[in-house]
């Protein structure tokens, strides 16, 4: 019964040192030396100051910007310090009401747009920080953004199409558009 | 399903199956103490460790001593993780200055990580210091995974040996699992994750100034820091505006690698593998899924190799893969079909090259439906429990898939080690049933299966449903249990049933709407995780000891072959039948009722 205490204590201590200290420090050292941009959060720098991360979405609600996925984080959407989804079940009336309200908001912001609304634009992401939307969701918003900015829709269409990120290696994942990068490109058009 | 969806799933399965043999061969060599030449550079470290710890590496243990060593090691794990959480406020590597975690939450998390469950009642980015994450949680990711592997190896030795009283040396098996298998693979996987964008640093959280300002309702807190409530009990809020965003930081990639490889599943952040800093790209996601099944898949080959008949390992793997394919098709089907309630609102859920479509609530754009349903099926077939989408928001029958797989005992690949020993128990039950049907003494891998063996196998089959259904019954009866439910109706029952299935099965995924960070759930789920792990490992080790002591009986014309398609079918039937007999009534009250109500309304 007690014969195993010494190996238990000492191997616990030594293996903790190896897997809990040496291992993360070694991975950090190699990562910081070889891939510092990625290891530090893929920051977007504008005028010398970080304005976000390409991997972490930001909240956009102004009609002149492309909007991202709805975010269920609290107290504010896209709260990087508190990730998470809505966890609303598929038949929960609160979910259906939320989707209805988002559909309404999109229609009010662009009354003339009769296209069907892509589902990712009215459903909350899993992380609440999804940096991307589907190409369909970006194309859907062109008419609103064009009106708000007084730009030719065709010009915006080109801007969006240039920024569609295809499936990785041609087949993995889904095609998508990074919302922060698209909006920064939009701002620099003027 | 589209051609691309089939291609992605096919690519995953083919690459996984190609890795089974090299991985299984490597692990067999390691556990036989015959490391391949390219890894011998680690043996001085291994020997030094034995010397420092007073481990006599050539001395073998009977099953009782093996179990006691495992229990001591587990107990130390619980104590260390509990202490780190309670003391983190006074310890270094805590740039956000998080205070001590509450006693009940610390208890829950300590049990959770020791048992390979990694249930997350807490939210990582706002609770745990970097030191707690890397020296408490990530260390248990290594240790609990290794504990599962060594129990599986002990059971394999039970079949492989004859008239032997020992089943191996726990300390040697544990050390080799970590040094030769988990650690080197983790380093490679962690660096691949960083290459894709997973973060790895020790910086404090960064504040960036966003493009657009956000107006929001900020909850007011009183002087003690507790949220204020009005007369109706609703939280009091005030209008606030911010043009800043906090970006969480930390040593994420190193933890992420062992989280998946060890089928642990506890995320650095609350959103787990849905968080872009944990799982930034589709390729990172593919690697995560591959890492989950790599060791459980490989161990089937290790089993075949160590018992001297590789066909036995392939038969087990075939049964696992076939059940997996069935569940995966169901999950993909229901999630791609989307939510009928949206169609009436003019929402487009069609699957195309321009959008993923389907039920996108609680899913990430980069993964879409195909990779979310695939990940959910993998993580619950294994006892991983990492999530890249929110299972609570799955369609009723889409969400049934992860729940049912956990309830079958996570033997479809399963947790590292625990999947294989769980499936071997089912194989013992299957030959027993076959033996009853044809009136012969059951045998498996040359071992006669007798009364004691069947008793131990029955214990491991019966304990989980008793715990899951018992705890669920208590939780739906007491107010503290019902208070945690987030969604109304049948779905609320599913949340509770899923929580206890996940805890007993040591999975760790959740229908996360359930508010489980309360004293009731922290303690009830903590006990469920503990018994769900330890109460299964001990009978498995007892079975290993009993098998090792038996004589090997030569196979004769009357021996039922256990590597044929017939046996694979029998094994699948046993797994499904035992699971169905236990859980059909409970599942009918949850996801099935919800599905019928939903289709009735549209």
């Amino acid at each position: 019964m007690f014969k195993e205490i010494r190996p238990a204590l000492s191997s616990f201590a030594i293996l903790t040192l190896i897997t809990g200290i040496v291992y993360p420090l070694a991975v950090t050292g190699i990562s910081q030396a070889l891939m510092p941009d990625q290891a530090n959060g893929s920051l977007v720098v504008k005028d010398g100051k970080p304005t976000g991360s390409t991997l972490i979405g930001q909240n956009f609600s102004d009609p002149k910007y492309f909007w991202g996925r709805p975010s269920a984080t609290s107290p504010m959407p896209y709260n990087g310090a508190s990730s998470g989804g809505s966890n609303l079940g598929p038949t929960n009336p609160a979910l259906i009401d939320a989707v209805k309200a988002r559909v309404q908001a999109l229609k009010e912001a662009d009354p003339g747009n009769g296209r069907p609304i892509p589902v990712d634009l009215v459903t909350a992401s899993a992380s609440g920080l999804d940096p991307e939307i589907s190409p369909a969701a970006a194309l859907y918003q062109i008419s609103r953004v064009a009106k708000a900015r007084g730009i030719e829709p065709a010009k915006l269409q080109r801007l969006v199409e240039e920024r569609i990120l295809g499936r990785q290696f041609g087949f993995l994942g889904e095609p998508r558009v990074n919302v922060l990068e698209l909006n920064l490109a939009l701002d620099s058009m003027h | 399903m589209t051609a691309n969806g089939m291609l992605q799933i096919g690519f995953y399965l083919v690459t996984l199956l190609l890795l089974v043999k090299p991985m299984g061969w490597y692990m067999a060599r390691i556990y036989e103490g015959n490391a391949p030449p390219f890894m011998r550079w680690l043996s001085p470290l291994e020997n030094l460790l034995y010397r420092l710890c007073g481990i006599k590496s050539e001395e073998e243990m009977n099953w009782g001593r093996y179990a006691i060593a495992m229990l001591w090691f587990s107990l130390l794990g619980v104590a260390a993780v509990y202490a780190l959480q309670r003391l983190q406020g006074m310890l270094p590597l805590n740039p956000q200055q998080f205070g001590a975690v509450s006693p009940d939450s610390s208890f829950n998390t300590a049990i959770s990580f020791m048992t390979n469950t990694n249930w997350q009642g807490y939210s990582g980015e706002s609770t745990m210091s970097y030191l707690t994450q890397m020296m408490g949680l990530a260390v248990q990711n290594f240790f609990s995974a290794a504990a599962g592997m060594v129990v599986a190896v002990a059971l394999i030795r039970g079949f492989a040996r004859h008239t032997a009283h020992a089943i191996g040396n726990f300390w040697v098996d544990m050390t080799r699992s970590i040094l030769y298998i988990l650690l080197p693979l983790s380093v490679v996987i962690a660096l691949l994750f960083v290459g894709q964008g997973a973060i790895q640093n020790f910086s404090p959280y960064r504040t960036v100034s966003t493009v657009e300002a956000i107006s929001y309702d900020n909850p007011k807190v009183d002087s003690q820091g507790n949220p204020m409530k009005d007369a109706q009990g609703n939280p009091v809020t005030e209008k606030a505006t911010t043009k800043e965003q906090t970006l969480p930081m930390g040593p994420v990639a190193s933890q992420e690698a062992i989280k998946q490889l060890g089928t642990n599943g506890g995320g650095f952040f609350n959103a787990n593998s849905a968080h872009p800093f944990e799982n930034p790209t589709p390729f990172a996601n593919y690697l995560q899924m591959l890492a989950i099944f790599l060791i459980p898949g490989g161990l089937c080959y290790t089993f075949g190799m160590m018992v001297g008949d590789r066909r036995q390992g392939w038969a087990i793997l075939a049964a696992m893969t076939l059940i997996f394919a069935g569940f995966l098709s169901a999950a993909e089907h229901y999630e791609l079909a989307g939510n009928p309630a949206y169609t009436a609102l003019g929402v487009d859920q069609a699957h195309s090259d321009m959008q993923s479509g389907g039920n996108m609530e609680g899913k990430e754009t980069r993964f879409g439906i195909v990779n979310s349903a695939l990940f959910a099926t993998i993580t619950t077939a294994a006892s991983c429990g990492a999530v890249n989408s929110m299972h609570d928001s799955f369609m009723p029958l889409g969400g049934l898939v992860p729940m049912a797989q956990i309830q079958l005992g996570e033997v479809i690949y399963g947790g590292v080690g625990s999947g294989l020993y769980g499936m071997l128990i089912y194989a013992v039950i299957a030959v027993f049933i076959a033996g009853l049907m044809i009136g012969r003494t059951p045998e498996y891998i040359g071992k006669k299966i007798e009364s004691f063996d069947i008793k131990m196998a029955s214990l491991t089959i019966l304990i989980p449903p008793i715990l899951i259904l018992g705890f669920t019954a208590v939780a739906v009866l007491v107010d503290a249990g019902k208070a945690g439910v987030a969604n109304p109706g049948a779905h609320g029952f599913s949340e509770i049933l899923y929580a206890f299935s996940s805890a007993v099965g040591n999975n760790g995924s959740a229908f996360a709407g359930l508010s489980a960070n309360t004293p009731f759930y922290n303690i009830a789920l903590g006990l469920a995780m503990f018994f769900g792990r330890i109460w299964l490992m001990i009978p498995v080790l007892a079975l290993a000891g009993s098998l090792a002591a038996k004589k090997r009986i030569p196979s004769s014309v009357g021996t039922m072959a256990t590597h044929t398609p017939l046996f694979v079918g029998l094994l699948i039937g046993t797994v499904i039948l035992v699971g169905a007999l236990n859980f059909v009534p409970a599942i009918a009250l949850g996801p099935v009722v919800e599905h019928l109500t939903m289709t009735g309304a549209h």
Side-chain angles (χ1 to χ4, degrees):
Chain A
M1 194 82 208
F2 299 102
K3 212 161 111 187
E4 304 303 333
I5 291 186
R6 187 190 154 203
L9 281 170
S10 43
S11 68
F12 190 88
I14 295 173
L15 289 171
T16 296
L17 200 70
I18 295 175
T19 58
I21 305 280
V22 176
Y23 161 66
L25 287 182
V27 173
T28 308
I30 301 171
S31 307
Q32 290 291 339
L34 301 179
M35 304 171 276
D37 284 352
Q38 290 98 318
N40 293 319
S42 307
L43 299 180
V44 182
V45 178
K46 200 180 132 195
D47 312 325
K49 273 170 51 183
T51 187
S53 159
T54 55
L55 292 175
I56 304 292
Q58 291 185 9
N59 188 61
F60 290 98
S61 54
D62 193 316
K64 68 175 186 181
Y65 285 119
F66 285 89
W67 301 349
R69 301 283 307 276
S71 161
T73 62
S74 69
M76 78 284 271
Y78 287 95
N79 181 1
S82 176
S83 60
S86 73
N87 285 311
L88 294 173
T91 57
N92 190 334
L95 172 69
I96 314 302
D97 288 345
V99 172
K100 211 179 271 178
R102 291 165 191 152
V103 167
Q104 191 130 25
L106 283 165
K107 287 193 168 154
E108 273 167 16
D110 189 13
N113 192 342
R115 300 168 70 149
I117 298 173
V119 64
D120 57 306
L121 212 46
V122 292
T123 47
S125 64
S127 63
L129 305 171
D130 195 339
E132 293 150 341
I133 50 176
S134 67
L139 295 172
Y140 174 84
Q141 301 184 64
I142 285 178
S143 74
R144 184 193 73 230
V145 178
K147 253 176 264 166
R149 291 192 176 242
I151 308 179
E152 278 289 299
K155 217 171 149 189
L156 276 186
Q157 177 101 15
R158 271 200 305 280
L159 185 78
V160 169
E161 278 167 2
E162 279 165 16
R163 277 177 171 69
I164 293 178
L165 200 58
R167 293 194 164 98
Q168 204 170 2
F169 313 134
F171 72 102
L172 279 180
E174 300 289 332
R176 55 214 196 270
V177 178
N178 186 298
V179 180
L180 177 63
E181 288 180 333
L182 178 63
N183 283 330
L184 288 173
L186 200 57
D187 273 348
S188 63
M189 274 173 86
H190 293 279
Chain B
M1 170 124 27
T2 62
N4 171 266
M6 303 285 245
L7 175 66
Q8 295 202 47
I9 292 169
F11 177 74
Y12 172 77
L13 281 175
V14 168
T15 45
L16 171 74
L17 293 174
L18 285 176
L19 287 170
V20 162
K21 191 175 167 181
M23 192 65 210
W25 168 84
Y26 178 69
M27 288 192 288
R29 292 281 297 256
I30 295 301
Y31 288 119
E32 281 164 351
N34 181 19
F38 60 90
M39 291 308 279
R40 295 227 174 108
W41 55 278
L42 276 169
S43 65
L45 180 62
E46 182 193 345
N47 293 328
L48 174 71
L49 219 141
Y50 296 152
R51 230 181 12 258
L52 290 174
C53 303
I55 296 166
K56 296 187 194 72
S57 59
E58 66 294 337
E59 187 184 78
E60 293 229 327
M61 302 173 173
N62 63 22
W63 79 264
R65 210 177 136 198
Y66 202 93
I68 286 166
M70 189 260 304
L71 287 173
W72 277 121
F73 200 70
S74 305
L75 196 71
L76 285 174
V78 174
V81 177
Y82 184 84
L84 270 171
Q85 291 178 89
R86 299 290 293 147
L87 301 174
Q88 68 175 8
M90 296 177 251
L91 296 171
L93 288 177
N94 185 7
Q96 301 313 115
Q97 300 179 351
F98 294 132
V101 184
S102 74
D104 56 294
S105 178
S106 301
F107 165 79
N108 181 285
T109 303
I111 300 274
S112 169
F113 278 73
M114 178 278 279
T115 57
N116 199 257
T117 312
N118 300 25
W119 171 266
Q120 284 177 278
Y122 60 90
S123 168
E125 61 265 51
S126 58
T127 314
M128 300 294 181
S129 75
Y130 294 164
L131 189 77
T132 308
Q133 296 262 24
M134 65 187 233
M135 243 183 97
L137 307 185
V139 165
Q140 281 307 309
N141 282 357
F142 280 98
F143 292 1
S144 65
M149 292 160 80
V150 304
V151 171
V153 168
L155 182 60
I156 295 175
R157 290 198 187 112
F159 285 110
R161 294 177 176 183
H162 57 94
T163 48
H165 73 283
I167 53 171
N169 182 312
F170 176 83
W171 304 114
V172 171
D173 290 340
M174 172 62 82
T175 306
R176 285 183 183 154
S177 303
I178 292 172
L179 276 191
Y180 289 94
I181 301 169
L182 296 171
L183 199 54
L185 280 168
S186 292
V187 171
V188 174
I189 294 172
L191 291 174
L192 286 168
F193 283 160
V194 177
Q196 291 297 303
I199 57 175
Q200 181 72 24
N201 59 57
F202 288 95
S203 317
Y205 293 4
R206 295 195 72 132
T207 304
V208 294
S209 58
T210 54
V211 175
E212 199 186 293
I214 308 179
S215 307
Y216 63 99
D217 294 321
N218 199 28
K220 273 178 123 161
V221 290
D222 60 22
S223 51
Q224 271 98 50
N226 297 313
M228 285 166 68
K229 299 213 166 141
D230 64 13
Q232 281 85 44
N234 297 315
V236 181
T237 58
E238 58 190 348
K239 289 275 172 229
T241 312
T242 181
K243 212 175 172 298
E244 287 182 339
Q245 185 182 40
T246 303
L247 299 180
M249 293 284 140
V252 174
S254 56
Q255 190 156 331
E256 199 65 17
I258 185 62
K259 159 188 145 186
Q260 307 295 22
L261 191 64
T263 62
N264 294 282
F268 201 92
F269 302 118
N270 188 47
N272 207 292
S273 284
H275 199 294
F277 277 165
E278 285 198 19
N279 192 3
T281 64
F283 179 58
N285 188 62
Y286 161 79
L287 286 173
Q288 298 215 342
M289 298 190 296
L290 194 65
I292 296 175
F293 273 179
L294 186 61
I295 293 177
L299 276 173
C300 293
Y301 189 84
T302 308
F303 166 66
M305 217 172 129
M306 286 174 76
V307 299
D309 182 357
R310 282 156 221 232
R311 297 170 308 177
Q312 304 292 345
W314 290 120
I316 297 281
L317 189 73
M320 291 174 169
T321 309
L322 287 170
I323 309 179
F324 177 75
F327 277 109
L328 177 64
S329 321
E332 294 283 356
H333 170 80
Y334 287 106
E335 293 308 302
L336 277 171
N339 192 330
Y342 299 166
T343 316
L345 302 172
V347 174
D348 181 10
Q349 299 183 80
H351 185 63
S352 75
D353 273 345
M354 296 309 275
Q355 66 160 12
S356 160
N359 175 31
M360 282 298 285
E361 178 71 25
K363 297 194 177 67
E364 297 282 295
T365 310
R366 60 195 179 282
F367 307 138
I369 300 295
V370 170
N371 283 298
S372 298
L374 178 59
F375 196 110
T377 312
I378 291 168
T379 195
T380 51
S383 77
C384 183
V387 294
N388 78 350
S389 59
M390 295 299 138
H391 296 182
D392 211 351
S393 298
F394 272 38
M395 298 312 295
L397 297 187
L400 183 152
V401 167
M403 193 184 329
Q405 289 197 117
I406 296 171
Q407 291 166 343
L408 290 183
E410 290 156 340
V411 292
I412 311 156
Y413 290 83
V416 286
S418 60
L420 181 68
Y421 66 66
M423 197 53 144
L424 291 177
I425 295 290
Y426 271 112
V428 166
I429 299 281
V431 295
F432 176 66
I433 293 173
L436 287 179
M437 288 194 283
I438 55 174
R440 277 189 60 92
T441 312
E443 346 170 328
Y444 186 57
I445 323 278
K447 291 296 170 72
K448 203 183 269 184
I449 305 297
E450 292 163 304
S451 161
F452 179 81
D453 312 308
I454 284 296
K455 279 181 194 152
M456 292 303 114
S458 304
L459 277 179
T460 62
I461 300 274
L462 289 175
I463 286 171
I466 292 170
L467 289 172
I468 293 171
L469 298 172
F471 273 112
T472 304
V474 170
V476 296
L477 287 175
V478 301
D479 289 335
K482 285 182 282 192
V485 168
N487 284 287
H491 198 89
F493 174 71
S494 300
E495 285 182 338
I496 297 179
L497 179 63
Y498 195 108
F500 286 104
S501 303
S502 174
V504 173
N506 299 137
N507 186 273
S509 69
F511 274 10
L514 187 76
S515 302
N517 196 358
T518 62
F520 171 77
Y521 276 112
N522 275 333
I523 291 167
L525 291 165
L527 294 173
M529 292 186 275
F530 183 81
F531 295 130
R533 177 80 165 180
I534 300 296
W535 279 9
L536 300 199
M537 278 182 158
I538 292 174
V540 169
L541 286 174
L543 177 63
S546 154
L547 290 170
K550 289 177 199 281
K551 285 200 289 266
R552 178 172 295 140
I553 39 175
S555 63
S556 64
V557 282
T559 306
M560 186 178 71
T562 51
H563 61 267
T564 57
L566 179 70
F567 181 74
V568 171
L570 182 68
L571 184 55
I572 293 173
T574 309
V575 171
I576 302 285
L577 196 69
V578 169
L581 285 175
N582 287 324
F583 291 105
V584 160
I587 283 180
L589 288 174
V592 174
V593 164
E594 192 186 12
H595 176 76
L596 295 176
T597 331
M598 182 184 78
T599 47
H602 291 279

